[in-house]
Amino acid sequence: MLSIRRFSMFALRSVRLHIKKIAIILVTVQLLLTIIYVLNGGLSIIDGGWKSFTSSFFEPFTHTTRNNFYANFDLRSKDNVVRLCEKMNFDTSGEWIDTYTLKNNLLTVKMGAEKGQVLNSVEDLRYYDNDPRLIWSVVLDHLLESDSNEYAFSWYDWANFDSINKLIALKNTKISCQFVCEGVFDKEVLERVEREIQERLFFTNRNKYDQPIWYNKARNAVGSNSVQQIMHDHCKNNDAYSGGTPFELPFIVSKIYEKLRPEVYDLHTKNHLLYSNFTPLSLTVLDSDKDVYRINLRKADSSKSNIVQTKLLRNYLQRHKDEMVNGDLIFNHTSIFEKFLDHASTKKRKLNIEGLDKTIFTREYLELSPSDFHFDAKMKITELESKLRSEGLSSHDTHYLQSLKTSITTAPALQKKYFAEASDVIDATAEGHHRDRRFFSIGHNILDDPQEFEARLTSLIRTFQKFIKANGLISWLSHGTLYGYLYDGLKFPWDGDHDLQMPIKHLHYLSQYFNQSLILEDPREGNGRYLLDVGSAITVRVQGNGENNIDARFIDIDSGMYIDITGLSVSSDAAKQYMSKFVEEEESSDKSFSTLIKDYKFNENDHFDEVDGRVGLAKYSIFELKEWVNSHPDDFTDAEKKQVTNTYKKELDISRSDSAEKDLSPKERYLLNEKYNLYNCRNQHFSSLNILSPLRNTMFSGVSAFIPNRPITSLNNEYKVPPRYGFLTFQGKVYLPEFRYWFSFFDVKKFANLQSRDPKIIRLENPLNNLKFSDINLLLTNMIKCGFHSIFANLFNSFESTVYRLKELEIQYDLSISEEEKKKILKVLRGEVAKNMKSPVKDPVIYTYEKKLWERVEKLMNASNLYDIVLQVEKRKVEEFVELSRQVYKRKYDGFRLPDGGSGDAVTDLNHIGLNLFGDNKKTLNDIFGSDQKY
Ligand SMILES: *[C@@H]1O[C@H](CO)[C@@H](O)[C@H](O)[C@H]1NC(C)=O
Ligand SMILES: *[C@@H]1O[C@H](CO)[C@@H](O)[C@H](O)[C@H]1NC(C)=O
Ligand SMILES: *[C@@H]1O[C@H](CO)[C@@H](O)[C@H](O)[C@H]1NC(C)=O
């Protein structure tokens, strides 16, 4: 959730990041090209045929003749480099730049002494990159072939193990538990590892290890006694390993320890994942945002069931040997994916959830009903138990039933914290408290590369939105995510997670059908893979001890980033003071909420659903529980006693609060909340039916999303939204409406050259809050000159999404358009403009893949020539951006001209519809966010 405190924290972080970024860009351009890449070696590419070639670590690249790993993609060709530069930065489609082949991608050794050598067969593989093209092809083909809907899952095939592969690749260098249990890597071991694999083990902050002052300080902070203890408690030797055993590491992290630097923690936790016996229950496969398919997973020893170990790959090659050309084979995963979708057997894999309506996203509005905010757990348990007796339960149902039964015995005061973040990871820029501790990773460059960071976070929400749309699940943007949406239809660039709310009924659908499922994005669109994880006590709807404010998370298994999902329901928590006015408004009486409460006649017999169905201690009020604990002290741990005391104090706090309900009993609060349709999440954020419903359908990050009916009201219950739309500043951030984007002011000062520091950068003469059209070109050109490449890429790629939001605002806030008319126009906008919208970010897997190719190009090409290529590509993109902006400015944007009803010649032109919020004649709307607009 985005609190104001976090806002300022992010301001700081962002400034820090930007300083770092500039340093990094400098390093990248000047140093890396010359020093690191040469040091890296990595140039021992085979010449001509498929014979082996070895090079020493320090061998300069100039005298190796290099063949390309990528048969269809010669990295030395200038055209290809231009294409790569353009694709990597500005093409956000799900397309791959090359084809995946057996020889080039799978069998060619990528690191170490045998780099470039081509293995004879897949039996010789000791590790491989789990490229989605390989995995999808093999797994889907297997399912179709075996007419099965179940297979043995391995994390190795679905999560990113790039960093671990570098350790598996080692044959000579000995590493032990100690390497991944020390806060900072032992530099000597690190260098030995890198020398053997002829690669950097990691990139982010790698240079710090070469700074003696930093390194010695960091090492001294590691006490050797405690390291022994940590190793003993968290790690053990792997008996199955003896130098170079395929897919094995010499040690097994049995329990995660967190106080490590991010690069150490990355390997530590990846090792843990590889050897963990925790597997998802199923794979959920998306067909775009239309349909969902379910693949069951067999519980296997997940560390030994990858597609090589289970022979799935070998069998695949057998079946496809006729397609081999010169011993090579193309893995065309999109073609197999389409075959899978069309296959007769796939019908039975399709998921249609009874009770959900898949058409909700086609409507402009979605009415919610009070029943969406109630859930009868007792009835659900009865229903599932009877189903268990008659026809048996799916593994998801079994799991869910078990969870419900546990949940109803859980006293709110005694819930255990369910979700765990990597909060103790050393180095605040790693944002450990915003990452799931099991999946935390530094990726290729997540911490340093804003493009990779944005790609990860935005792909996360895009896939989630496609997922709920394909199922007909209801959820809406909330907190910081909704706030960001307001301005440009995107998240705030500095926000490190997403927040969504759901009605409790739908949180239960989500739990029953998807808890512990790995959700896979349509591979034609992207390569997202996310674990849906729902907490264990979701029938508890009050804050209780406060340790489980979040109900569910949608977790990126390649970074640990997540979406926080909270359910809203009627509960006995005291409605916040800010809700009083909504009750009064709804009642349209002159009485205050407090008076309404005084006048209310509670009936002894009114049903208190919240405790109905609860069992044992869970039925007790906090007062009763406290008494019970006092009289049975031996039955509770100290931690539990403390939880009870804390919860008790919170209850007392209510009576001292300004809530209109402060003098009521929990039961009375429940009844009133129910009567007035007041709903809350477990973090006591309150909303009401009339704030939420009907939900409005819109676009967020280029995909469909719902927002509350009264977004401003909803946000103002939590933040203070400035009424103005236009130039804005906020805690070190600047919103420039001409770009529809939030920048750090620190960056803006540079690329506007406000302090005339750099004679080569043309100074912005117009005031920032009153830019002229011509300033767009000036600022973009400067941005690139100053090295803000990724900011420009993010700007360019989000153009369609942000211009969409601009048009939506222009229509919504135009008082001259009738409500009916607005509805119609917005429907056209959503139906016609939105459907062709490109993704505002790259798919992170494709981005990383291309970035690695790019790093190879950097080794091959003369740095200054390469720099020229980049500048040329960017210059063209700036021109394109300016041209598109000109169209919007002149209200002649092609994207807003629509073929009407398919008749061909008639065109609906949305350009002139609505206010003009862009350009020199723009209206400054000082008050549009002052209140919610009716439309
Ligand atoms: C893969 O198959 C798709 C769909 O059948 C086709 O459009 C595409 O060209 C193929 N790609 C390659 C590299 O053969
Ligand atoms: C989700 O799965 C986890 C892990 O098995 C379990 O602990 C939790 O209770 C489940 N939650 C629900 C709501 O089913
Ligand atoms: C790169 O090429 C340019 C011109 O083509 C040349 O002037 C420069 O010396 C070359 N730099 C290196 C490092 O080879």
Coordinates of all heavy atoms in Angstrom, one line a residue, residues 778-808:
L778 N 12.9 19.3 -27.5 CA 14.1 19.7 -26.8 C 14.4 18.8 -25.6 O 15.5 18.4 -25.4 CB 13.9 21.2 -26.3 CG 15.0 21.7 -25.5 CD1 15.8 22.7 -26.3 CD2 14.4 22.4 -24.2
L779 N 13.3 18.6 -24.8 CA 13.6 17.8 -23.6 C 13.9 16.4 -23.9 O 14.7 15.8 -23.2 CB 12.3 17.9 -22.7 CG 12.1 19.3 -22.0 CD1 10.8 19.4 -21.2 CD2 13.3 19.7 -21.2
L780 N 13.3 15.8 -24.9 CA 13.6 14.4 -25.3 C 15.0 14.3 -25.8 O 15.7 13.4 -25.4 CB 12.6 13.9 -26.3 CG 11.1 13.7 -25.9 CD1 10.3 13.2 -27.1 CD2 11.0 12.7 -24.8
T781 N 15.4 15.2 -26.6 CA 16.8 15.2 -27.1 C 17.8 15.3 -26.0 O 18.7 14.5 -25.9 CB 17.0 16.3 -28.1 OG1 15.9 16.2 -29.1 CG2 18.3 16.3 -28.8
N782 N 17.5 16.2 -25.1 CA 18.3 16.3 -23.9 C 18.4 15.1 -23.0 O 19.4 14.7 -22.6 CB 17.9 17.5 -23.0 CG 18.2 18.9 -23.6 OD1 18.8 18.9 -24.7 ND2 17.7 19.9 -23.0
M783 N 17.2 14.5 -22.9 CA 17.1 13.3 -22.1 C 18.1 12.2 -22.5 O 18.8 11.6 -21.8 CB 15.7 12.8 -22.2 CG 15.0 12.3 -21.0 SD 13.3 11.8 -21.4 CE 12.4 13.2 -21.1
I784 N 18.1 12.1 -23.9 CA 19.0 11.1 -24.4 C 20.5 11.5 -24.3 O 21.3 10.7 -23.9 CB 18.6 10.8 -25.9 CG1 17.4 10.0 -25.9 CG2 19.7 10.2 -26.7 CD1 16.6 9.9 -27.2
K785 N 20.7 12.7 -24.5 CA 22.1 13.2 -24.4 C 22.6 13.0 -22.9 O 23.8 12.8 -22.7 CB 22.2 14.7 -24.7 CG 22.3 15.0 -26.2 CD 22.8 16.4 -26.4 CE 22.5 16.8 -27.8 NZ 22.4 18.3 -28.0
C786 N 21.7 13.2 -22.0 CA 22.1 13.1 -20.6 C 22.1 11.6 -20.1 O 22.4 11.3 -19.0 CB 21.1 13.8 -19.7 SG 21.1 15.6 -19.9
G787 N 21.7 10.7 -21.0 CA 21.9 9.3 -20.7 C 20.6 8.7 -20.0 O 20.7 7.6 -19.5
F788 N 19.5 9.4 -20.1 CA 18.3 8.8 -19.5 C 17.6 7.9 -20.5 O 16.4 8.1 -20.9 CB 17.3 9.9 -19.0 CG 17.9 10.7 -17.9 CD1 18.3 12.0 -18.1 CD2 18.0 10.2 -16.6 CE1 18.8 12.8 -17.1 CE2 18.5 10.9 -15.6 CZ 18.9 12.2 -15.8
H789 N 18.3 6.9 -21.0 CA 17.8 6.0 -22.1 C 16.5 5.3 -21.6 O 15.6 5.2 -22.4 CB 18.9 5.1 -22.5 CG 20.1 5.7 -23.0 ND1 20.2 6.3 -24.2 CD2 21.3 5.9 -22.3 CE1 21.4 6.9 -24.3 NE2 22.1 6.6 -23.2
S790 N 16.6 4.7 -20.4 CA 15.4 3.9 -20.1 C 14.2 4.7 -19.8 O 13.1 4.3 -20.0 CB 15.8 3.0 -18.9 OG 16.4 3.7 -17.9
I791 N 14.4 5.9 -19.3 CA 13.2 6.8 -19.1 C 12.6 7.1 -20.4 O 11.4 7.0 -20.6 CB 13.6 8.1 -18.4 CG1 14.1 7.8 -17.0 CG2 12.4 9.0 -18.3 CD1 14.4 8.9 -16.1
F792 N 13.4 7.4 -21.4 CA 12.8 7.7 -22.7 C 12.1 6.4 -23.3 O 11.0 6.5 -23.8 CB 13.9 8.1 -23.7 CG 13.4 8.3 -25.1 CD1 12.3 9.2 -25.4 CD2 13.8 7.5 -26.2 CE1 11.8 9.3 -26.6 CE2 13.2 7.6 -27.4 CZ 12.2 8.5 -27.7
A793 N 12.7 5.3 -23.1 CA 12.1 4.0 -23.6 C 10.7 3.9 -22.9 O 9.7 3.6 -23.6 CB 13.0 2.8 -23.4
N794 N 10.7 4.1 -21.6 CA 9.4 3.9 -20.9 C 8.4 4.9 -21.4 O 7.2 4.6 -21.5 CB 9.6 4.1 -19.4 CG 10.3 2.9 -18.7 OD1 10.3 1.8 -19.3 ND2 10.9 3.0 -17.6
L795 N 8.8 6.2 -21.7 CA 7.9 7.2 -22.2 C 7.4 6.8 -23.5 O 6.2 6.9 -23.8 CB 8.7 8.5 -22.4 CG 8.8 9.5 -21.3 CD1 9.6 10.7 -21.9 CD2 7.5 10.0 -20.9
F796 N 8.3 6.4 -24.4 CA 7.9 6.0 -25.7 C 6.9 4.9 -25.7 O 5.9 4.9 -26.4 CB 9.1 5.6 -26.6 CG 8.8 5.3 -28.0 CD1 8.9 6.3 -29.0 CD2 8.5 4.0 -28.4 CE1 8.6 6.0 -30.3 CE2 8.2 3.8 -29.7 CZ 8.2 4.8 -30.7
N797 N 7.2 3.8 -25.0 CA 6.4 2.6 -25.0 C 5.0 2.8 -24.4 O 4.1 2.1 -24.7 CB 7.1 1.5 -24.3 CG 8.4 1.0 -25.1 OD1 8.4 1.2 -26.4 ND2 9.4 0.6 -24.5
S798 N 4.9 3.8 -23.5 CA 3.6 4.0 -22.8 C 2.8 5.0 -23.5 O 1.7 5.4 -23.0 CB 3.9 4.3 -21.3 OG 4.6 5.5 -21.2
F799 N 3.3 5.5 -24.6 CA 2.6 6.6 -25.3 C 1.1 6.3 -25.5 O 0.2 7.0 -25.2 CB 3.2 6.9 -26.7 CG 2.7 8.1 -27.3 CD1 3.2 9.4 -27.1 CD2 1.6 8.0 -28.2 CE1 2.6 10.5 -27.7 CE2 1.0 9.1 -28.8 CZ 1.6 10.4 -28.6
E800 N 0.8 5.1 -26.1 CA -0.6 4.8 -26.4 C -1.4 4.7 -25.1 O -2.6 5.1 -25.1 CB -0.6 3.5 -27.2 CG -0.1 3.6 -28.6 CD -0.2 2.3 -29.4 OE1 -0.9 1.4 -29.0 OE2 0.4 2.3 -30.5
S801 N -0.9 4.1 -24.1 CA -1.6 3.9 -22.9 C -1.9 5.3 -22.2 O -3.0 5.5 -21.7 CB -0.8 3.1 -21.9 OG -0.7 1.8 -22.3
T802 N -0.9 6.2 -22.2 CA -1.2 7.4 -21.5 C -2.0 8.4 -22.3 O -2.8 9.1 -21.8 CB 0.2 8.1 -21.2 OG1 0.9 8.4 -22.4 CG2 1.0 7.3 -20.3
V803 N -1.9 8.3 -23.7 CA -2.8 9.1 -24.5 C -4.2 8.7 -24.4 O -5.2 9.5 -24.4 CB -2.3 9.1 -26.0 CG1 -3.4 9.4 -26.9 CG2 -1.1 10.1 -26.1
Y804 N -4.4 7.4 -24.2 CA -5.7 6.8 -24.0 C -6.3 7.5 -22.7 O -7.5 7.9 -22.7 CB -5.6 5.3 -23.8 CG -7.0 4.7 -23.6 CD1 -7.7 4.2 -24.6 CD2 -7.5 4.6 -22.3 CE1 -9.0 3.6 -24.4 CE2 -8.8 4.0 -22.1 CZ -9.5 3.5 -23.2 OH -10.7 3.0 -23.0
R805 N -5.6 7.5 -21.7 CA -6.1 8.1 -20.4 C -6.4 9.5 -20.6 O -7.4 10.1 -20.1 CB -5.1 7.8 -19.3 CG -5.4 8.5 -18.0 CD -6.7 7.9 -17.4 NE -7.1 8.6 -16.1 CZ -8.3 8.8 -15.7 NH1 -9.3 8.5 -16.5 NH2 -8.6 9.4 -14.6
L806 N -5.5 10.2 -21.4 CA -5.8 11.6 -21.6 C -7.1 11.8 -22.3 O -7.9 12.7 -21.9 CB -4.7 12.2 -22.5 CG -4.8 13.7 -22.9 CD1 -4.5 14.6 -21.7 CD2 -3.9 14.0 -24.1
K807 N -7.4 11.1 -23.3 CA -8.7 11.2 -24.0 C -9.8 10.8 -23.1 O -10.9 11.5 -23.1 CB -8.7 10.3 -25.2 CG -9.9 10.4 -26.1 CD -10.3 11.8 -26.5 CE -9.5 12.4 -27.6 NZ -10.0 13.8 -27.8
E808 N -9.6 9.8 -22.3 CA -10.7 9.5 -21.3 C -11.0 10.6 -20.4 O -12.2 11.0 -20.1 CB -10.2 8.2 -20.5 CG -11.3 7.5 -19.7 CD -10.8 6.3 -19.0 OE1 -9.8 6.4 -18.2 OE2 -11.3 5.2 -19.2

